[in-house]
Amino acid sequence: MTDPQIHKGLAGVLVDTTRISKVNPETNSLLYRGYPVQELAARCSFEEVAYLLWNGELPTEAQLAEFTDGERAQRALTPELKAVIDALPVTCHPMDVCRTAASVLGASHELAEDSSVQANMDKAVGLFAAMPAVVAYDQRRRRGEDVVEPRDDLGYSANFLWMTFGEEAAPEVVEAFNVSMILYAEHSFNASTFTGRVITSTLSDLHSAVTGAIGALKGPLHGGANEAVMHTFAEITESAADGDVAAHAAAWLDEALAEKKKIMGFGHRVYKNGDSRVPTMKASLDNMVKYYDRPDMGELYTALETAMGERKNILPNLDYPAGPVYHLMGFDTPTFTPLFVAARITGWTAHIMEQLEANSLIRPLSEYNGAEERHLP
Ligand SMILES: CC(=O)SCCNC(=O)CCNC(=O)[C@H](O)C(C)(C)COP(=O)(O)OP(=O)(O)OC[C@H]1O[C@@H](n2cnc3c(N)ncnc32)[C@H](O)[C@@H]1OP(=O)(O)O
Ligand SMILES: O=C([O-])CC(=O)C(=O)O
């Protein structure tokens, strides 16, 4: 008998079709509903991209106006949700706050048990609208700052920064943030999206699927890597007492690799010749380095990237440039992955709705290799 073929980590396994995005490692490209993500990042607002992911087409002016009105009307947190967040310890991870908030929003949704297309679209827009306020509220409460209520005269990204920092961000910063949201929005059958699709395949509800997806994104092998990149940068900077950060980056890396550590922000399951989103995000990092006058951050980025290339020939993924961008903007490091959540809600919910269009319970097989059959004495 031949040994059964085991696909550890489902690597290389095609499990379904999708019309939402195409990740192409051969051409190093990423399409959302057919559009190259770089074009969308250069020319569109995140609201337009969210609409595209959900509806398959970019909105007309009238459709966008209706859509943004709906989003702006649902931005504020309810007193009930604020109370639940306040009950969580400030020592808990902000991803736990996002996960809890998604669950509370589901439990209190008037259409909680309705999984029709219209109800799911309403739920998706509601989560998209409210998650920035959750993230901003949580960072402020940890810092002992008062809540800043949303403004409906600002677009998604400008309002997100307003609620977090209590002042209007410069256009350059809003632009870089908007680009990051678009790049983080969607990436086919990644671990968190697949989690969402697995939960949906049991005919559970949209908020349950998003709550599970948030749990999957938290891990450092997935979304948690953007936070981990900043821990790496902090370690390297601390160890470079003489100020020669670039030299210390190589030494830090040699030690980490000798200890068989994974270097967060590098490598990818699908892309082996570079992540399609990195050049666009790196351009935003360059802009932020210039805007905040922090050339040291750019130098450290390049030093570690170069050293990793020389030693392992492993290239950065999107989390590598995104981490320092969020740091320069003033976000606390543990808040980085919640920013990824806010963006990916669009992709997750598009996949949840696509899964329901042609559902089949996701239930793979396993090869048993435990004890032989035995009996109680
Ligand atoms: C937005 C995102 O979610 S992108 C992903 C974010 N995650 C990270 O940045 C975490 C760091 N990266 C990794 O752990 C991996 O590259 C993953 C999990 C993303 C992809 O991993 P896989 O496709 O499973 O590749 P795998 O882990 O088998 O790596 C293949 C080889 O490259 C090495 N490798 C891959 N990535 C790294 C890394 N970041 N640091 C060190 N070595 C690495 C592995 O050790 C392995 O070497 P070996 O063959 O000598 O054992
Ligand atoms: O595709 C993946 O495996 C991880 C990733 O880059 C993403 O989810 O954006």
Side-chain angles (χ1 to χ4, degrees):
M1 213 172 80
T2 53
D3 282 342
Q5 224 192 331
I6 305 288
H7 299 280
K8 272 291 239 198
L10 296 181
V13 176
L14 273 177
V15 296
D16 209 337
T17 57
T18 181
R19 301 187 307 277
I20 302 167
S21 70
K22 177 174 179 168
V23 178
N24 191 337
E26 275 83 46
T27 51
N28 219 5
S29 64
L30 171 61
L31 308 177
Y32 291 174
R33 300 283 190 183
Y35 293 106
V37 74
Q38 293 82 356
E39 279 180 34
L40 296 169
R43 308 242 306 264
C44 296
S45 66
F46 183 41
E47 293 93 312
E48 290 173 282
V49 173
Y51 186 99
L52 169 71
L53 289 170
W54 285 324
N55 296 285
E57 296 297 335
L58 283 162
T60 62
E61 229 170 275
Q63 286 166 333
L64 183 62
E66 193 187 336
F67 175 69
T68 51
D69 280 354
E71 184 263 316
R72 289 173 194 208
Q74 298 183 71
R75 281 177 178 174
L77 299 183
T78 60
E80 292 76 23
L81 182 50
K82 281 182 185 162
V84 172
I85 296 175
D86 288 340
L88 298 173
V90 286
T91 48
C92 81
H93 196 283
M95 283 295 278
D96 299 349
V97 174
C98 287
R99 199 188 56 227
T100 302
S103 189
V104 171
L105 287 166
S108 47
H109 200 283
E110 54 186 2
L111 302 173
E113 300 308 319
D114 182 349
S115 290
S116 63
V117 174
Q118 194 48 52
N120 275 346
M121 197 64 97
D122 284 357
K123 291 177 185 182
V125 176
L127 277 164
F128 170 69
M131 200 50 82
V134 170
V135 176
Y137 183 78
D138 186 42
Q139 173 161 308
R140 292 187 72 82
R141 87 181 175 113
R142 285 165 199 278
R143 292 182 175 190
E145 296 167 346
D146 290 338
V147 58
V148 174
E149 294 298 339
R151 276 177 47 185
D152 60 13
D153 59 326
L154 296 176
Y156 176 98
S157 295
N159 176 62
F160 203 141
L161 295 162
W162 161 256
M163 288 191 296
T164 309
F165 301 111
E167 55 187 45
E168 276 187 42
E172 297 91 322
V173 178
V174 175
E175 173 58 23
F177 190 78
N178 185 63
V179 165
S180 77
M181 290 291 110
I182 292 173
L183 296 178
Y184 265 140
E186 160 58 13
H187 213 238
S188 74
F189 275 45
N190 58 82
S192 56
T193 301
F194 191 58
T195 302
R197 290 190 78 128
V198 170
I199 293 171
T200 302
S201 82
T202 71
L203 301 184
S204 184
D205 65 286
L206 179 141
H207 286 88
S208 295
V210 168
T211 303
I214 294 173
L217 191 74
K218 183 181 177 188
L221 295 190
H222 191 12
N226 63 6
E227 166 180 347
V229 168
M230 224 48 235
H231 295 310
T232 299
F233 277 24
E235 271 182 44
I236 296 172
T237 306
E238 275 160 30
S239 70
D242 60 3
D244 189 354
V245 175
H248 280 274
W252 177 92
L253 181 63
D254 285 334
E255 210 176 302
L257 292 176
E259 289 168 13
K260 301 261 174 273
K261 282 189 184 155
K262 283 274 171 75
I263 313 305
M264 298 302 160
F266 288 88
H268 199 275
R269 172 57 70 80
V270 181
Y271 299 117
K272 296 299 175 194
N273 300 308
D275 182 326
S276 62
R277 303 160 291 183
V278 165
T280 311
M281 199 66 225
K282 174 61 166 59
S284 287
L285 174 61
D286 292 343
N287 291 341
M288 291 301 93
V289 160
K290 214 178 284 165
Y291 178 80
Y292 290 105
D293 192 21
R294 286 289 306 278
D296 57 302
M297 187 64 79
E299 284 157 21
L300 175 48
Y301 178 99
T302 305
L304 186 61
E305 180 190 25
T306 307
M308 189 69 177
E310 285 167 0
R311 283 150 183 80
K312 299 283 287 184
N313 196 24
I314 296 179
L315 296 164
N317 58 56
L318 175 58
D319 286 327
Y320 188 59
V325 163
Y326 292 149
H327 174 81
L328 289 173
M329 287 175 179
F331 286 99
D332 293 340
T333 302
T335 301
F336 296 177
T337 317
L339 299 175
F340 192 162
V341 169
R344 188 56 63 89
I345 276 171
T346 56
W348 286 333
T349 50
H351 278 273
I352 288 165
M353 290 186 263
E354 187 179 68
Q355 177 69 30
L356 282 174
E357 278 172 26
N359 189 49
S360 174
L361 176 74
I362 299 174
R363 200 296 187 197
L365 296 176
S366 56
E367 175 71 7
Y368 178 70
N369 65 355
E372 289 297 330
E373 180 170 340
R374 51 189 169 157
H375 298 276
L376 295 173

